[in-house]
Amino acid sequence: MGKKKLAVTPGFEVGGTIFRPEQLAVLGTIVGEDAKIELTTFKQLYVEVQEEREEEIKEKLQEAGLEIQPAGFYTKNLITCHFCRGAVEAGMAAAKKLDEAVAGHPVPSPLKIGYAGCALGTSEPLLKDIAVVKMKDSFDIYVGGESKGLKAKLARLFLSSVTEEQLIPLVQNLIRYFQENGKKKEKFSTFIDRVSVEALREAVAVNEG
């Protein structure tokens, strides 16, 4: 019998990424006693299940309000702050739309996208591959963060004063450019060093307004 790994998350809300007791109960019941459940650094649970039960398990977990994404070399769900400034001021509606648009796309190397509702950056967005930071009525986008290894580094400012209308197309273009031009297993930070921030900025530009 083959095994399949699923990425499971409850989404996010004011207070952060919160699994509810009934969701954990369903998860523990449906996946079976021999399933492996791993807590990842990007706020997803990796759940290894029997391949022939994949669709049944996905259906039950989704009924419990959990989101299911593929595990491995894909864009991850948006890694967010706790929205301590409130849903409106911290831009939760924009964050949820962004999460829906960017999660689960195949990429040369796993891609982590961070979101912070203010400049405090409690979700540590500058350690992510792509970071979105809300700045009053607009957003700043950073690229190339790296949290692992002795050469860990902060993401660099990519674009500032991005409108909510421009946000999703810009991040989607970043993902698409990486899909089309990244090498197999190439980290996003290494990819940026290779192609340059300037070339990347030119390649993914969207119209103003």
Side-chain angles (χ1 to χ4, degrees):
M1 279 186 258
K3 295 287 184 72
K4 184 67 176 287
K5 191 174 286 187
L6 307 175
V8 180
T9 175
F12 50 85
E13 57 188 84
V14 173
T17 302
I18 300 172
F19 284 91
R20 305 198 181 284
E22 61 270 22
Q23 292 174 329
L24 292 175
V26 169
L27 181 63
T29 301
I30 190 64
V31 298
E33 293 181 359
D34 60 342
K36 294 181 179 178
I37 302 176
E38 174 191 355
L39 177 61
T40 71
T41 58
F42 30 88
K43 296 188 177 182
Q44 291 177 330
L45 295 178
Y46 271 4
V47 182
E48 189 177 84
V49 300
Q50 297 294 340
E51 197 166 15
E52 65 270 20
R53 296 190 60 222
E54 177 186 357
E55 293 306 317
E56 171 201 356
I57 289 171
K58 285 169 65 174
E59 183 179 346
K60 293 292 185 182
L61 295 179
Q62 287 167 340
E63 286 176 359
L66 295 168
E67 299 176 19
I68 313 297
Q69 300 291 346
F73 282 29
Y74 294 86
T75 52
K76 306 306 177 184
N77 285 97
L78 203 61
I79 303 168
T80 68
C81 62
H82 288 184
F83 298 92
C84 60
R85 292 178 179 264
V88 175
E89 186 176 344
M92 180 178 286
K96 285 187 176 293
K97 290 178 184 177
L98 180 61
D99 176 56
E100 185 177 342
V102 304
H105 299 285
V107 280
S109 182
L111 196 64
K112 293 180 284 187
I113 303 173
Y115 179 94
C118 71
L120 287 174
T122 56
S123 55
E124 300 179 336
L126 300 193
L127 294 176
K128 308 301 187 288
D129 297 300
I130 301 171
V132 176
V133 181
K134 189 173 188 296
M135 304 292 286
K136 294 186 177 180
D137 297 324
S138 64
F139 302 86
D140 288 352
I141 298 178
Y142 295 78
V143 295
E146 177 56 67
S147 62
K148 296 180 181 178
L150 297 178
K151 296 183 179 180
K153 57 185 177 182
L154 296 177
R156 290 165 277 179
L157 181 63
F158 182 66
L159 288 171
S160 59
S161 301
V162 173
T163 66
E164 186 171 337
E165 291 71 26
Q166 294 171 319
L167 178 60
I168 290 176
L170 272 169
V171 177
Q172 287 178 323
N173 286 351
L174 281 168
I175 295 169
R176 189 175 300 115
Y177 192 72
F178 185 40
Q179 288 174 318
E180 294 172 354
N181 298 281
K183 298 176 182 180
K184 182 69 173 177
K185 296 186 178 180
E186 182 177 34
K187 292 182 179 180
F188 192 64
S189 59
T190 305
F191 170 70
I192 292 172
D193 289 340
R194 178 166 64 84
V195 304
S196 83
V197 171
E198 293 73 22
L200 188 64
R201 191 178 288 124
E202 183 176 341
V204 305
V206 298
N207 293 330
E208 298 288 336

